[in-house]
């Protein structure tokens, strides 16, 4: 039995030499097999269409079978390319082709195989799975593994290589919160549930699932979605779903709710959604920002005032509690409420009565109270700024709305929702986001949360060209004279250093380059990287096509003299 301990992959230089781009006839070849370079977004769209049309289980099996077929084709290359290599190096062709084809990064952890005896035991770690990225982007975190096509490829490749059925299981998946995806492979007979695993690769008719799908659709339509007059709340991350589940459970009750979270997370949207889902939906929803009201007026605003209660009170006036009677009252920025008003608020919560400023008669009110704050109320109690008894009274049903940095899986659906809204608002056709912009948004810390995201998306819609996707530079606009915002190798936003001319000058001097030589070298590199496309090279250098044509012509003249 051949053993790879510790697992090591050989050089893939021999495989890279087998890839040929035939630009003249529009074909790509891998050792005589025709390949196609496809946008990952297109594969993601196909996957999404299948999920929405035939359901998860059928999509899983279709993609596994497609991967199985691809793996079987690649197995043919193993002996052609490395016929004289060790069995382990020969087998490594499959994992290395998987990486070369851009599907996933493969790290072997255990590999034991003996073709003559039919023995196989393999464990591989996967990172940067394209299926995890696209699936989580569209459907959020999952409870079950989603690397279906990749798994089919591993089973198809190994089965063809070994000459007998060998099946893999995905035992860990990044889509489920694991740090890495991990697969284990064994011969069919060595799996206790081998027959069930093998049935995933049997072709069947999608029509058999139509009745089940209809039931699933009916069930989904009946699900209560948190929404307000602005539409449904958007999110699919675990943190978001946990918060909305608490919201649903509170909706049909009369319990006072305390919404906590950082500035900009959408506390008022959650409050309005709670009101819309409650039996009080047909009654008033009144929102009060306690921080925006002057301290001397806040009691009269909340509880009302009788005529002559204070200078300027020329007539009796109901407060916000009375105006919200039968409905819902949101007290936003509750931590800023003065202590005197806190005492009156406690009485309202305990007895359901308000007493107008300057009045003597209590008035019954039927109000569902929602409080919202970004202040740590326990710390405020300890500092003497907030009543402890009121905190306990409000803290019966707290809901923490997570900041956007804890809801990375919500960023893309939120951004897409906002893009649609602002494109309609400004009457502009926008073709989504570039992958670079999506990566930048996923890695941004979002100190301003959803409010910051709203501002960035609106600015991106305004700045981008009609019919073009919004790119990172139109979202994260650099300040004048500042370094541009770029995405580094780790996918994080950072500022470049265009003004760090000292190091550049030293390098030019060290190499003995003249200014003209440096310009000529930059022009050649830009044109080469753009595949000979002058317009693309000009965009990369930040100049017009006419300017780059002039500079290239001048460089040719210098070369002839």
């Amino acid at each position: 039995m051949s053993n790879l301990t510790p697992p090591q992959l050989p050089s893939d230089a021999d495989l890279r030499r087998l890839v040929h781009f035939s630009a003249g006839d529009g074909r790509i070849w891998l050792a005589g097999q025709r390949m196609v370079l496809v946008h990952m977004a297109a594969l993601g769209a196909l996957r999404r269409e299948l999920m929405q049309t035939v359901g998860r289980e059928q999509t899983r099996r279709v993609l596994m079978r497609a991967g199985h077929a691809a793996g079987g084709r690649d197995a043919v290359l193993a002996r052609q390319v490395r016929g004289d290599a060790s069995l382990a190096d020969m087998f490594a062709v499959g994992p290395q082709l998987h990486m070369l084809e851009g599907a996933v990064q493969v790290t072997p952890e255990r590999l034991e195989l003996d073709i003559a005896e039919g023995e196989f035991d393999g464990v591989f770690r996967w990172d940067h799975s394209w299926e995890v990225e696209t699936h989580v982007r569209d459907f959020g975190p999952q409870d079950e593994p989603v690397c279906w096509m990749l798994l089919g490829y591993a089973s198809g490749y190994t089965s063809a290589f070994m000459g007998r059925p060998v099946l893999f299981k995905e035992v860990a998946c990044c889509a489920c919160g694991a740090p890495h995806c991990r697969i284990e492979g064994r011969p069919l007979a060595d799996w206790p549930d081998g027959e069930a695993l093998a049935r995933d690769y049997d072709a069947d008719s999608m029509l058999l699932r139509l009745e089940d799908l209809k039931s699933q659709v009916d069930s989904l339509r009946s699900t209560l979605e948190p929404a307000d007059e602005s539409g449904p709340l958007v999110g699919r991350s675990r943190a978001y779903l946990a918060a909305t589940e608490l919201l649903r459970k509170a909706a049909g009750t009369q319990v006072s709710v305390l919404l906590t979270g950082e500035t900009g997370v959408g506390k008022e949207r959650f409050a309005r959604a709670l009101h819309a889902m409650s039996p009080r939906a047909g009654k008033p929803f009144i929102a009060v920002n306690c921080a925006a009201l002057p301290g001397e007026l806040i009691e009269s605003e909340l509880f009302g005032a009788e005529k002559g209660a204070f200078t300027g009170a020329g007539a009796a006036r109901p407060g916000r509690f009375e105006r919200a009677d039968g409905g819902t009252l949101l007290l936003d920025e509750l931590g800023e409420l003065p202590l005197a008003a806190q005492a009156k608020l406690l009485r309202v919560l305990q007895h359901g009565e308000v007493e107008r400023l300057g009045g003597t008669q209590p008035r019954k009110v039927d109000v569902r109270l929602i409080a919202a704050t970004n202040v740590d109320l326990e710390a405020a109690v300890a500092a003497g700024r907030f009543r402890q008894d009121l905190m306990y009274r409000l803290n019966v049903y707290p809901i923490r709305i997570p900041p956007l940095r804890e809801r990375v899986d919500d960023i893309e659906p939120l951004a897409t929702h906002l893009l649609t809204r602002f494109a309609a608002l400004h009457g502009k056709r926008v073709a989504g986001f570039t992958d670079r912009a999506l990566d930048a948004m996923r890695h941004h810390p979002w100190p301003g949360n959803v409010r910051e995201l709203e501002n960035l998306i609106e600015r991106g819609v305004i700045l981008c060209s009609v019919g073009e996707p919004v790119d990172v530079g139109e979202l994260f606009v650099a300040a004048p004279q500042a370094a541009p915002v770029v995405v580094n190798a780790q996918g994080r936003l950072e500022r470049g250093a265009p003004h760090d001319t000292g190091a550049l000058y030293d390098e030019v001097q060290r190499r003995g380059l003249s200014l003209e030589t440096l310009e000529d070298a930059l022009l050649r590199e830009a044109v080469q990287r753009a595949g000979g496309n002058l317009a693309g090279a000009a965009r990369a250098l930040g100049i017009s096509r006419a300017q780059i044509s002039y500079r290239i012509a001048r460089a040719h003249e210098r070369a002839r003299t």
Side-chain angles (χ1 to χ4, degrees):
M1 177 176 286
S2 178
N3 187 15
L4 194 61
T5 309
Q8 297 271 329
L9 290 175
S11 168
D12 66 350
D14 53 346
L15 301 179
R16 292 178 180 275
R17 286 194 293 269
L18 299 177
V19 180
H20 300 286
F21 291 84
S22 180
D25 56 15
R27 290 183 286 183
I28 303 172
W29 300 98
L30 174 62
Q33 297 185 47
R34 186 173 177 182
M35 310 292 287
V36 178
L37 193 63
V38 180
H39 285 284
M40 191 177 75
L43 290 175
L46 175 62
R47 184 189 195 93
R48 184 168 62 251
E49 182 81 11
L50 285 170
M51 287 280 286
Q52 294 169 347
T53 304
V54 300
R56 178 190 176 93
E57 187 60 22
Q58 197 70 8
T59 300
R60 181 180 70 84
R61 297 185 65 186
V62 167
L63 294 181
M64 286 178 70
R65 292 198 295 271
H68 194 279
R73 296 296 299 269
D74 279 355
V76 176
L77 294 176
R79 288 178 175 80
Q80 293 178 3
V81 177
R82 295 181 184 158
D84 298 328
S86 67
L87 197 59
D89 284 359
M90 192 186 305
F91 180 84
V93 167
Q96 289 181 300
L97 281 177
H98 228 180
M99 289 193 284
L100 190 61
E101 292 162 0
V104 70
Q105 180 185 1
V106 185
T107 304
E109 296 185 344
R110 183 173 73 244
L111 177 60
E112 298 177 353
L113 67 163
D114 187 325
I115 293 180
E117 296 296 326
E119 298 178 3
F120 183 90
D121 183 17
V123 178
F124 298 84
R125 191 185 86 191
W126 283 343
D127 294 282
H128 312 302
S129 159
W130 77 266
E131 291 193 273
V132 167
E133 184 173 334
T134 58
H135 196 99
V136 171
R137 179 184 295 179
D138 285 332
F139 303 105
Q142 301 292 300
D143 295 324
E144 297 178 3
V146 300
C147 300
W148 305 324
M149 187 174 283
L150 301 183
L151 191 67
Y153 178 98
S155 296
Y157 176 84
T158 308
S159 297
F161 185 89
M162 296 292 295
R164 65 193 64 204
V166 177
L167 301 180
F168 279 81
K169 278 186 180 180
E170 189 173 7
V171 297
C173 185
C174 294
C176 304
H180 313 281
C181 299
R182 182 169 280 103
I183 60 169
E184 294 182 4
R186 304 173 197 165
L188 173 63
D190 291 352
W191 286 110
D193 54 348
E195 293 301 323
L197 295 177
R199 281 197 294 272
D200 283 332
Y201 299 99
D202 294 337
D204 59 1
S205 173
M206 287 189 255
L207 295 176
L208 299 177
R209 300 264 308 159
L210 287 179
E211 218 33 63
D212 289 340
L213 290 172
K214 183 178 182 299
S215 299
Q216 291 176 22
V217 169
D218 291 342
S219 175
L220 286 172
R221 283 176 176 165
S222 65
T223 301
L224 182 62
E225 289 293 336
D228 62 10
E229 68 275 9
S230 298
L233 301 182
V234 177
R236 61 192 180 204
S237 66
R238 294 181 188 276
Y240 165 83
L241 294 176
T244 54
E245 181 61 22
L246 289 173
L247 206 66
R248 286 192 187 94
K249 289 180 177 179
T253 73
Q254 302 303 316
V255 67
S256 297
V257 175
L258 176 63
L259 300 175
T260 64
E262 298 177 4
T263 298
V265 293
K267 293 187 286 293
E268 184 169 342
R269 284 295 310 274
F270 269 70
R272 290 182 179 275
L274 179 59
H275 172 73
M277 290 190 294
S278 76
R280 298 173 178 265
K283 298 294 184 177
F285 176 90
I286 305 295
V288 182
N289 188 330
C290 299
L293 293 174
E296 63 274 12
L297 294 180
I298 196 163
E299 288 189 51
S300 64
E301 284 293 326
L302 290 180
F303 310 114
E306 295 290 359
K307 180 178 179 180
F310 55 87
T311 303
R317 184 163 57 88
R320 304 295 178 94
F321 271 95
E322 290 182 67
R323 289 165 55 192
D325 190 33
T328 304
L329 177 68
L330 168 64
L331 295 182
D332 200 3
E333 304 291 353
L334 181 74
E336 306 299 327
L337 197 65
L339 287 170
Q342 291 178 30
K344 284 197 170 185
L345 175 60
L346 182 61
R347 178 179 176 81
V348 176
L349 293 176
Q350 290 175 336
H351 302 290
E353 296 177 344
V354 296
E355 192 172 300
R356 291 180 179 178
L357 200 63
T360 57
Q361 295 297 320
R363 299 169 182 269
K364 281 286 184 182
V365 289
D366 175 21
V367 173
R368 202 283 182 66
L369 183 69
I370 303 175
T373 182
N374 60 2
V375 172
D376 183 342
L377 292 184
E378 290 188 358
V381 168
R385 299 192 309 271
F386 203 84
R387 293 179 61 106
Q388 189 175 51
D389 49 2
L390 179 58
M391 184 194 73
Y392 290 145
R393 185 67 177 79
L394 290 171
N395 211 29
V396 175
Y397 200 89
I399 300 178
R400 175 182 177 268
I401 304 174
L404 200 51
R405 62 180 174 276
E406 295 178 13
R407 301 171 52 190
V408 177
D409 296 315
D410 294 340
I411 290 173
E412 185 170 346
L414 272 170
T416 302
H417 173 76
L418 292 169
L419 186 74
T420 302
R421 190 221 298 176
F422 288 124
L425 176 65
H426 297 291
K428 193 169 186 179
R429 183 169 54 85
V430 180
F433 298 98
T434 65
D435 288 341
R436 186 171 61 166
L438 292 172
D439 279 342
M441 286 191 284
R442 280 192 289 267
H443 289 93
H444 184 60
W446 298 110
N449 293 296
V450 179
R451 188 175 297 132
E452 180 186 3
L453 178 63
E454 285 183 330
N455 294 338
L456 262 63
I457 299 302
E458 184 168 18
R459 179 169 64 199
V461 169
I462 293 170
L463 291 178
C464 78
S465 300
V466 175
E468 295 292 325
V470 177
D471 201 359
V472 63
E474 290 143 357
L475 293 173
F476 301 91
V477 180
Q481 306 303 318
V485 178
V486 298
V487 182
N488 64 18
Q490 289 73 43
R492 301 184 184 280
L493 281 176
E494 65 178 20
R495 294 198 180 276
H499 302 306
D500 185 13
T501 54
L504 178 60
Y505 180 82
D506 291 341
E507 183 67 13
V508 170
Q509 290 296 308
R510 187 181 67 80
R511 293 178 178 237
L513 299 174
S514 67
L515 186 60
E516 290 179 344
T517 304
L518 180 62
E519 179 181 305
D520 293 349
L522 285 172
L523 290 171
R524 285 195 300 271
E525 184 69 19
V527 173
Q528 181 179 343
R529 292 196 183 193
N533 186 307
L534 293 186
R539 283 194 299 272
L541 293 175
I543 59 179
S544 68
R545 192 187 188 286
Q547 288 173 318
I548 199 172
S549 298
Y550 169 75
R551 290 172 185 269
I552 289 173
R554 193 173 62 177
H556 288 163
E557 290 177 4
R558 285 197 295 267
R560 288 196 296 267
T561 58

